[in-house]
Amino acid sequence: MVLAVPSCRTYFLARWPRLGFIIRPPHQLLSLLLCPGLRLPRLSVLCAQPRPRAMAISSSSCELPLVAVCQVTSTPDKQQNFKTCAELVREAARLGSCLAFLPEAFDFIARDPAETLRLSEPLDGNLLGEYTQLARECGLWLSLGGFHERGQDWEQTQKIYNCHVLLNSKGSVVATYRKTHLCDVEIPGQGPMRESNSTLPGPSLESPVSTPAGKVGLAICYDMRFPELSLALAQAGAEILTYPSAFGSVTGPAHWEVLLRARAIETQCYVVAAAQCGRHHEKRSSYGQSMVVDPWGTVVARCSEGQGLCLARIDLNYLRQLRQHLPVFQHRRPDLYGNLGHPRS
């Protein structure tokens, strides 16, 4: 059934069972329907902001790389979490994705810092070994959004790193980024968060990595509140920024989508945000709403409630056109505001 939306141009979206939505204008929907291997059992309609006519997509949708964004509810049970993630990754591969994104704490979400430290592993441990085998089996890249890593300084510090691991389709680790901004906050109604009780901040950013979908810049959750980081990644060549996350029930509705769209608009990058959702245990729950935002700031894919995945195609020609028509990086004035990373006086 097709419903008219009077206030804006109609965009079609395709929905799979247990999957989120791919938002496409009607001419792209036709190309999507003609793509082999994609089954669209049901259609609906969504109102979304259209792209400018001057930057209409010329590429066939079937020629564009497809990415999958996975949404899960991690618990302290590591093997059950892996089983859930592996099922989604295999589904992403079956649907033709070249890269699948998993959220922060895809490995587990513990009840307290002591349990977090006990369940953590080094990068060469059993769990990462299972994911490298999964990447090889499925033949796709994996963004493992926030692994509880026992680093080389574990014996001295007894603390871990929140490590974003990128695997290629052969299962090799091609990049690691250790979260640089730790979430030590007290939000009324959401409970205190003291990530630094068990976690050390990473020492540096990771250069964007070339993948089949484009150059990916790695970040994690709370990092999205620091535009300096996203601008640094964009200036280093990033075309896709990824923010695997576990947002809370208070900050989620207020800030999640707003921040992601802002990061996409200001950097003129795609933003991919895989999220935790639902209740992990009696002490913690997460907001969900995993999504992909295009460089114009439009949400082009979004997961529905519960565990599942959403899909989106990455159009780098569109990204380059947008940067050409709106050359904001050429207009920046670092001579005026180059010290924004310093604390307020």
Side-chain angles (χ1 to χ4, degrees), residues 225-247:
R225 294 185 180 274
F226 302 89
E228 299 92 341
L229 183 150
S230 60
L231 291 170
L233 290 174
Q235 288 174 324
E239 297 162 324
I240 303 167
L241 301 178
T242 179
Y243 293 101
S245 298
F247 255 53

Side-chain angles (χ1 to χ4, degrees), residues 78-88 90 131:
K78 292 163 68 173
Q79 280 307 307
Q80 182 57 48
N81 296 337
F82 174 74
K83 182 179 178 181
T84 299
C85 291
E87 180 184 353
L88 292 175
R90 291 188 178 103
Y131 277 97

Side-chain angles (χ1 to χ4, degrees), residues 72 74 81 85 101-109 116 120-121 123 127-128 131 142-150 160-166 176-179 195 199 218-221 223 242-246 274-276 284:
V72 301
S74 293
N81 296 337
C85 291
F101 295 84
L102 292 173
E104 181 182 32
F106 67 94
D107 50 352
F108 65 86
I109 290 183
T116 295
S120 63
E121 296 185 18
L123 288 180
L127 187 60
L128 254 294
Y131 277 97
L142 291 179
S143 162
L144 305 177
F147 175 72
H148 297 85
E149 178 206 3
R150 291 188 183 184
I160 60 174
Y161 293 96
N162 190 341
C163 184
H164 189 157
V165 182
L166 189 64
T176 55
Y177 162 73
R178 293 164 180 88
K179 189 177 182 183
E195 191 172 13
T199 306
L218 304 180
I220 302 174
C221 197
D223 286 333
T242 179
Y243 293 101
S245 298
Q276 293 281 344
R284 187 169 174 184

Side-chain angles (χ1 to χ4, degrees), residues 238-239 267-269 318-327:
E239 297 162 324
T267 62
Q268 298 176 321
C269 289
Y318 168 64
L319 178 148
R320 295 180 188 111
Q321 283 185 331
L322 176 58
R323 291 179 175 183
Q324 180 180 357
H325 288 288
L326 193 60

Side-chain angles (χ1 to χ4, degrees), residues 295-344:
W296 187 250
T298 301
V299 178
V300 295
R302 184 195 302 266
C303 283
S304 53
E305 292 187 9
Q307 299 186 119
L309 59 85
C310 62
L311 304 169
R313 294 198 179 273
I314 304 298
D315 188 342
L316 296 182
N317 285 334
Y318 168 64
L319 178 148
R320 295 180 188 111
Q321 283 185 331
L322 176 58
R323 291 179 175 183
Q324 180 180 357
H325 288 288
L326 193 60
V328 292
F329 274 86
Q330 297 178 29
H331 300 156
R332 300 189 69 80
R333 290 289 305 276
D335 57 310
L336 300 181
Y337 40 76
N339 61 347
L340 280 180
H342 297 292
R344 282 183 292 193

Side-chain angles (χ1 to χ4, degrees), residues 24-301:
R24 293 293 176 202
H27 74 277
Q28 289 183 23
L29 179 66
L30 178 60
S31 298
L32 199 62
L33 288 169
L34 295 175
C35 287
L38 295 183
R39 295 176 294 155
L40 312 183
R42 190 165 65 203
L43 295 178
S44 182
V45 172
L46 182 71
C47 177
Q49 292 297 318
R51 290 168 171 170
R53 289 182 181 271
M55 289 177 276
I57 295 174
S58 58
S59 304
S60 167
S61 291
C62 292
E63 299 171 358
L64 302 176
L66 186 70
V67 300
V69 187
C70 302
Q71 181 167 282
V72 301
T73 307
S74 293
T75 71
D77 187 336
K78 292 163 68 173
Q79 280 307 307
Q80 182 57 48
N81 296 337
F82 174 74
K83 182 179 178 181
T84 299
C85 291
E87 180 184 353
L88 292 175
V89 168
R90 291 188 178 103
E91 180 71 2
R94 189 187 69 79
L95 292 168
S97 302
C98 65
L99 200 164
F101 295 84
L102 292 173
E104 181 182 32
F106 67 94
D107 50 352
F108 65 86
I109 290 183
R111 296 176 181 86
D112 53 53
E115 187 176 42
T116 295
L117 295 174
R118 180 174 61 81
L119 293 174
S120 63
E121 296 185 18
L123 288 180
D124 59 358
N126 292 333
L127 187 60
L128 254 294
E130 292 184 279
Y131 277 97
T132 59
Q133 183 176 345
L134 179 66
R136 287 196 299 267
E137 170 198 327
C138 295
L140 82 171
W141 288 55
L142 291 179
S143 162
L144 305 177
F147 175 72
H148 297 85
E149 178 206 3
R150 291 188 183 184
Q152 295 181 350
D153 54 1
W154 163 254
E155 295 296 333
Q156 292 78 34
T157 66
Q158 293 295 294
K159 287 190 175 185
I160 60 174
Y161 293 96
N162 190 341
C163 184
H164 189 157
V165 182
L166 189 64
L167 303 179
N168 65 17
S169 57
K170 296 180 181 179
S172 300
V173 175
V174 294
T176 55
Y177 162 73
R178 293 164 180 88
K179 189 177 182 183
T180 51
H181 301 96
L182 300 184
C183 189
D184 287 358
V185 300
E186 293 187 23
I187 306 296
Q190 190 170 286
M193 172 71 74
R194 287 286 181 270
E195 191 172 13
S196 63
N197 285 348
S198 60
T199 306
L200 295 168
S204 62
L205 303 184
E206 179 72 17
S207 298
V209 180
S210 294
T211 76
K215 290 186 177 180
V216 174
L218 304 180
I220 302 174
C221 197
Y222 191 58
D223 286 333
M224 77 176 68
R225 294 185 180 274
F226 302 89
E228 299 92 341
L229 183 150
S230 60
L231 291 170
L233 290 174
Q235 288 174 324
E239 297 162 324
I240 303 167
L241 301 178
T242 179
Y243 293 101
S245 298
F247 255 53
S249 57
V250 174
T251 54
H255 297 161
W256 172 249
E257 182 176 328
V258 175
L259 286 169
L260 294 173
R261 294 180 68 186
R263 298 295 82 84
I265 293 168
E266 71 195 4
T267 62
Q268 298 176 321
C269 289
Y270 281 89
V271 166
V272 178
Q276 293 281 344
C277 69
R279 181 158 291 278
H280 309 288
H281 44 69
E282 65 278 5
K283 295 182 178 181
R284 187 169 174 184
S285 61
S286 293
Y287 177 61
Q289 298 290 316
S290 303
M291 65 179 64
V292 180
V293 186
D294 76 8
W296 187 250
T298 301
V299 178
V300 295

